[in-house]
Amino acid sequence: MRPLSRFLRLLRPRSLRSRLVLIAGLLATGAVVVCQIAGLTVVRSWLTDQVDDRLSHFRPPEGVYRDITGEGGPRPPGPGGALPSDYRVYFYDGDGRLLDSSLGDSEAPGPRLPGKVTELPTRGARVSTVESADSAGSDWRVLVHDGPGGMRAAVALPLDTVDGATTKLLWFSLTLGVAVAVGVATLGNVAVRLGLRPLTKVEQTAQRITAGAVRLKVPVSGPDTEVGRLGLALNTMLDRLRTALHRSESSEHRLRVFMADAGHELRTPLTAIQGFAELLLDEPGMNADRRREAHALIHHNAERMSRLVDDLFLLARLGHDPRPHRETVDLLSLCADAVATTAVHHPGRPLTLGPLDAAGPAPDLDIVETTGDPHQLTQILGNLLANATTHTPEDTPVHVRVGAVPAGTHGWGTDRPGRVATGTSPP
């Protein structure tokens, strides 16, 4: 079984063109074979009906039965009553036994009739087929007629003409089937090759694109055909792929530039921290003012590095998931935490937290909720407070206000803290 299956796999066509040609050839050959079989069946049936019609129109003369029962056997027929050359007539007596006397060519082999009339495959007006006495001969069609005195006559005609005609027609059908198969395989190969030429061009272009020619486009032979629609779909996919590659290259270039800038920015504070740390280690007897200055510079550069690292984390997070994270956030809690954190780093800075409609701090603060990313909002508040404490004198008060105003209004600010603008938009 394994060699046979391996041989069948080798004969299995691999290309689409070979499969289409094979399918077309099998269908055409099958159609021709079915038509020829139907034609052979119809022709053989028609020829057999002609033989049966000849049998039904022939009856032995009445005098033949008298000659058979008399002595000497049947006499030759008179003028005008000669027996046709291909007919054979056999007789059964009143007891149903086959007699030795017969009419027709007695030298050529005839039908193989049974010794009893009751053993015949047909009786009455029905015609049946009987094998030839010669194994190589054709079959015979036999029709039994009733005669006088209980005698019966079996009239037979050979089917050699029917077999000859059907044999010639069979050989003609086989020759025609082979010719059709060869013609379909030859012409079908040419037709399929011409029909698949647009698809072959698409395949060649796709191979060139795979090799690196990403700027090429698939040729579109006709937008109304399957191959044309395939070409349009592939061109659309290639356009999107080229756009994605361009974006990827641009993003990679920006990332390299950013990493170079970030490395440069990190190197400066890191060098300063390393230098001041080595200074503190090398000079243990440094006075208090210089030591405090070195500690302050180390702390300042460490904060700078922390901000750079936070920016890197934010960039990595945005690049990993571009969709913003949104949830319900309590702005009052975020502001309180930010003010408390800033107060720890700046204990001498006046910091206040209050509502929008108050000029100073107020004890009764209301919860203000919104939808957003709490981590990014915390970073924004921290940056705002860091800017306020860095770029103003140490005794300048910083006021943080929390509240809700209609969207799109700008009638309130630090210059007029007591005014809250109104509008028709929702808060």
Side-chain angles (χ1 to χ4, degrees):
M1 293 301 293
R2 287 186 177 180
L4 179 59
S5 61
R6 188 176 303 173
F7 178 72
L8 293 177
R9 284 197 300 269
L10 293 176
L11 292 181
R12 184 182 303 170
R14 298 181 181 273
S15 64
L16 177 61
R17 181 172 60 251
S18 302
R19 293 180 182 179
L20 291 177
V21 172
L22 178 60
I23 292 174
L26 291 178
L27 291 177
T29 306
V32 171
V33 169
V34 171
C35 293
Q36 294 299 327
I37 291 176
L40 283 173
T41 304
V42 172
V43 169
R44 185 175 181 84
S45 176
W46 181 77
L47 292 176
T48 305
D49 291 341
Q50 296 297 317
V51 174
D52 295 344
D53 185 67
R54 292 175 60 191
L55 288 175
S56 63
H57 286 83
F58 176 80
R59 282 182 174 273
E62 295 291 336
V64 174
Y65 293 98
R66 292 191 298 271
D67 295 339
I68 290 296
T69 56
E71 295 180 358
R75 291 174 297 177
L83 188 67
S85 60
D86 53 351
Y87 278 89
R88 296 288 182 90
V89 182
Y90 300 90
F91 298 95
Y92 288 89
D93 59 11
D95 296 331
R97 292 188 298 270
L98 179 64
L99 301 177
D100 295 335
S101 300
S102 63
L103 299 177
D105 187 6
S106 59
E107 296 180 358
R112 183 180 299 171
L113 296 177
K116 291 287 185 178
V117 70
T118 55
E119 297 176 359
L120 283 171
T122 179
R123 298 193 61 183
R126 291 165 50 189
V127 184
S128 65
T129 302
V130 178
E131 295 180 355
S132 175
D134 185 6
S135 59
S138 300
D139 294 338
W140 292 72
R141 295 288 285 178
V142 178
L143 178 63
V144 178
H145 296 284
D146 295 332
M151 297 182 64
R152 292 179 177 84
V155 183
L157 277 175
L159 293 178
D160 52 355
T161 56
V162 177
D163 294 338
T166 53
T167 301
K168 291 180 180 179
L169 187 58
L170 177 61
W171 281 109
F172 174 76
S173 301
L174 293 177
T175 305
L176 182 61
V178 173
V180 168
V182 174
V184 169
T186 304
L187 299 179
N189 189 19
V190 177
V192 171
R193 186 184 298 273
L194 293 177
L196 294 181
R197 181 175 295 176
L199 187 60
T200 304
K201 293 181 179 179
V202 172
E203 177 188 1
Q204 295 174 354
T205 306
Q207 291 178 353
R208 295 176 60 187
I209 293 174
T210 304
V214 294
R215 297 296 178 183
L216 292 178
K217 284 192 174 182
V218 176
V220 179
S221 57
D224 297 332
T225 61
E226 292 81 358
V227 179
R229 289 192 291 269
L230 175 62
L232 291 176
L234 289 177
N235 286 332
T236 303
M237 183 184 66
L238 289 175
D239 291 338
R240 294 181 179 178
L241 179 61
R242 282 191 286 265
T243 302
L245 289 176
H246 178 70
R247 290 179 179 176
S248 178
E249 292 176 356
S250 301
S251 177
E252 184 178 358
H253 176 70
R254 289 195 301 269
L255 180 60
R256 290 178 179 178
V257 173
F258 175 79
M259 293 301 295
D261 295 340
H264 178 72
E265 292 293 333
L266 286 173
R267 185 182 294 112
T268 301
L270 188 59
T271 303
I273 293 174
Q274 184 178 4
F276 286 112
E278 291 178 354
L279 179 62
L280 292 175
L281 292 175
D282 293 339
E283 298 183 8
M286 186 184 301
N287 57 43
D289 294 335
R290 291 190 63 187
R291 185 178 297 276
R292 188 183 307 108
E293 183 182 359
H295 286 163
L297 291 175
I298 291 175
H299 177 71
H300 174 73
N301 286 280
E303 286 185 347
R304 183 178 177 185
M305 289 182 60
S306 178
R307 287 194 298 268
L308 289 174
V309 172
D310 290 339
D311 293 338
L312 289 175
F313 281 147
L314 177 61
L315 179 63
R317 182 178 179 183
L318 292 177
H320 178 70
D321 187 8
R323 296 174 297 178
H325 175 70
R326 304 180 68 87
E327 62 181 49
T328 303
V329 181
D330 183 7
L331 293 180
L332 181 60
S333 299
L334 291 182
C335 291
D337 295 339
V339 170
T341 303
T342 305
V344 172
H345 292 83
H346 302 276
R349 174 78 64 170
L351 295 173
T352 60
L353 177 63
L356 285 176
D357 54 353
D364 50 347
L365 296 175
D366 294 331
I367 296 177
V368 179
E369 292 184 347
T370 186
T371 302
D373 189 339
H375 178 70
Q376 295 184 6
L377 290 174
T378 301
Q379 286 184 335
I380 293 173
L381 290 173
N383 293 334
L384 290 175
L385 290 174
N387 291 333
T389 56
T390 302
H391 301 289
T392 58
E394 294 182 0
D395 56 348
T396 302
V398 177
H399 303 289
V400 179
R401 302 286 183 254
V402 184
V405 295
T409 59
H410 304 281
W412 59 276
T414 57
D415 56 341
R416 305 179 67 180
R419 176 179 176 183
V420 178
T422 60
T424 58
S425 300

